[in-house]
Amino acid sequence: MKLLPLAFFIILLNTVSIAQPPAKNVIVITIDGIRWQEIFRGADASLLRNNTYVKDTGLMAQQYWHDDINERRRRLLPFFWSVIQQQGQLLGNRDFDNDVNVANLYKISYPGYSEMFTGYADKLFIPNLAVNNPRSNVLQWLNDQPAFAGKVAAFCSWRVFPFILDEKHGSLQVNAGYETLDHNDSSNVLINNVQQSMQDKHTTRHDLLTFECAKNYLQQNHPRVLYLGLGETDEFAHHGEYDNYLQKLRQADAMIAELWYYVQTDPFYKNNTSFIITTDHGRGAKSNSWSSHGFWVKGSGQTWFALLGPGIDATGEVKEPQQAYQKQVAATVASLLGVQFTAKHRIGKPLVIKTDKTGEEAGFIHKVITAKN
């Protein structure tokens, strides 16, 4: 048999190896400091009935308690346990040894978000302060690529995000805290007026304001990649207010449901947009430690993922033993878009969230784009 020249195989490989990306657009959503226990078990009875953490235990129990765990978690997170359970994936239920962890040592917000978007669990400790991140992140990197230039944006409640995402040294647009929006439409003007009228502006903006900023930007500009960072859950947890922690988590579920409905009814996003939903760290597992987190608090490194949209098999709650890490988010965002994130530091591998018909893992075929470093 006549052997074909090597050049032929090179041409063939270049012709067929770049597949259609699983998704055209990706939206990443984080809910700060949410334990896996609330995601997979619903409200915690030891906290829900504790007057130290809940002002009206009877009323909160009426809203969020049920003896059946499936009903209980559905009361807290109806979108998670209806749409995502039926059409996407939920990872991190440690009752089935399905583990998701941060890989960083510190288990606080800045290192957690840095790991998430850089794909690297940095040994360098940067506390939760306004310090520019020296590592490359996937959002900035995507915004530097011709196919995504000017089509990546981040809207975050916590005012430290411009530093985590190193907005100063790149072209990525990051709106965080009570930062003013561009006066380019009436909705932005209204949001700015509300923000300016706030008497007590803390480090974290109200999540509803952040959500409205992000949704309005989606409607007006149709970015291909959007990051929505919600933060009030962690604020109330640190204050020991389990009732408000639950209420803000329930509010986050409603906002995610509204966002999903919007993208499925907008022709630009319909059937081509994937969601990645997660958190930056866990919290203490016990009733006397749930409000805290950090390397000294057991349970702080335990997190979770919820995934929905093209490129994600509808397997629902994943109950098989496995280990995933927060550092895999960056590569997963790029993978869903059909590209491979590169940086000068090591990057965690993409999550395997798609299988073939036999149940075997089927990796995506990616086009490699060289980062502008």
Side-chain angles (χ1 to χ4, degrees), residues 187-237:
S187 295
N188 281 354
V189 172
L190 178 60
I191 293 170
N192 285 336
N193 289 337
V194 172
Q195 291 190 150
Q196 291 169 9
S197 68
M198 300 294 295
Q199 295 298 314
D200 297 318
K201 295 184 177 70
H202 301 289
T203 59
T204 301
R205 174 170 56 190
H206 289 291
D207 286 338
L208 275 173
L209 285 171
T210 302
F211 172 74
E212 291 300 331
C213 293
K215 186 179 178 185
N216 186 55
Y217 189 87
L218 275 177
Q219 293 170 327
Q220 298 299 322
N221 299 280
H222 288 104
R224 291 193 59 191
V225 181
L226 182 90
Y227 170 48
L228 171 63
L230 305 174
E232 286 187 288
T233 44
D234 189 64
E235 295 291 321
F236 283 114

Side-chain angles (χ1 to χ4, degrees), residues 25 87 131-132 140-141 148 160 172 176 198 267 270 277 368:
N25 315 292
Q87 300 177 25
V131 178
N132 283 318
Q140 282 278 16
W141 182 86
F148 299 93
V160 178
L172 175 68
M198 300 294 295
K270 183 177 175 64
I277 310 163
V368 179

Side-chain angles (χ1 to χ4, degrees), residues 56-361:
D56 190 329
T57 57
L59 182 56
M60 289 298 289
Q62 284 181 338
Q63 292 185 68
Y64 296 119
W65 184 254
H66 196 281
D67 289 337
D68 180 73
I69 190 172
N70 293 314
E71 176 60 24
R72 185 164 69 245
R73 63 191 186 182
R74 190 176 295 112
R75 287 187 178 189
L76 180 61
L77 297 165
F79 182 76
F80 271 58
W81 292 106
S82 56
V83 176
I84 300 179
Q85 163 71 357
Q86 293 175 17
Q87 300 177 25
Q89 292 186 25
L90 292 135
L91 290 78
N93 190 343
R94 305 179 89 85
D95 292 329
F96 298 103
D97 295 322
N98 190 267
D99 298 348
V100 181
N101 287 78
V102 301
N104 73 80
L105 298 172
Y106 310 108
K107 303 174 181 64
I108 62 173
S109 290
Y110 194 122
Y113 289 118
S114 179
E115 177 185 335
M116 190 184 304
F117 290 109
T118 66
Y120 180 63
D122 208 326
K123 293 182 180 178
L124 174 68
F125 176 61
I126 302 179
N128 293 341
L129 299 173
V131 178
N132 283 318
N133 195 339
R135 305 297 182 184
S136 301
N137 70 77
V138 69
L139 301 182
Q140 282 278 16
W141 182 86
L142 282 168
N143 203 53
D144 285 341
Q145 313 311 317
F148 299 93
K151 298 176 182 178
V152 185
F155 292 85
C156 314
S157 294
W158 191 31
R159 70 181 183 188
V160 178
F161 268 104
F163 301 91
I164 297 173
L165 299 175
D166 198 21
E167 182 184 27
K168 182 179 179 181
H169 296 109
S171 56
L172 175 68
Q173 176 180 323
V174 183
N175 178 276
Y178 286 92
E179 186 177 355
T180 302
L181 298 166
D182 291 335
H183 288 75
N184 56 2
D185 64 66
S186 57
S187 295
N188 281 354
V189 172
L190 178 60
I191 293 170
N192 285 336
N193 289 337
V194 172
Q195 291 190 150
Q196 291 169 9
S197 68
M198 300 294 295
Q199 295 298 314
D200 297 318
K201 295 184 177 70
H202 301 289
T203 59
T204 301
R205 174 170 56 190
H206 289 291
D207 286 338
L208 275 173
L209 285 171
T210 302
F211 172 74
E212 291 300 331
C213 293
K215 186 179 178 185
N216 186 55
Y217 189 87
L218 275 177
Q219 293 170 327
Q220 298 299 322
N221 299 280
H222 288 104
R224 291 193 59 191
V225 181
L226 182 90
Y227 170 48
L228 171 63
L230 305 174
E232 286 187 288
T233 44
D234 189 64
E235 295 291 321
F236 283 114
H238 279 301
H239 294 152
E241 300 177 24
Y242 191 67
D243 45 5
N244 285 323
Y245 167 83
L246 291 183
Q247 298 281 35
K248 289 301 175 180
L249 177 55
R250 176 65 180 80
Q251 184 183 81
D253 179 89
M255 288 188 283
I256 295 167
E258 183 177 337
L259 208 58
W260 181 251
Y261 183 79
Y262 167 70
V263 302
Q264 292 306 312
T265 55
D266 184 317
F268 183 86
Y269 291 113
K270 183 177 175 64
N271 295 329
N272 62 23
T273 303
S274 295
F275 280 22
I276 300 175
I277 310 163
T278 187
T279 190
D280 54 329
H281 56 72
R283 318 195 74 81
K286 297 181 179 180
S287 58
N288 62 352
S289 65
W290 79 274
S291 63
S292 300
H293 61 90
F295 70 89
W296 63 90
V297 180
K298 188 176 181 179
S300 298
Q302 300 171 352
T303 59
W304 49 270
F305 293 128
L307 308 121
L308 180 66
I312 298 160
D313 274 356
T315 54
E317 181 181 9
V318 181
K319 297 181 180 180
E320 291 75 28
Q322 70 178 56
Q323 177 67 66
Y325 290 98
Q326 212 72 10
K327 64 183 179 180
Q328 296 179 263
V329 171
T332 304
V333 171
S335 295
L336 287 169
L337 294 167
V339 297
Q340 181 175 319
F341 172 42
T342 61
K344 293 180 179 179
H345 56 260
R346 295 188 302 276
I347 298 169
K349 295 180 179 180
L351 294 166
V352 176
I353 49 182
K354 182 78 174 174
T355 57
D356 64 18
K357 292 181 180 179
T358 66
E360 297 295 326
E361 295 180 358

Side-chain angles (χ1 to χ4, degrees), residues 1-4 9:
M1 184 178 72
K2 186 177 180 180
L3 295 177
L4 294 173
F9 288 103

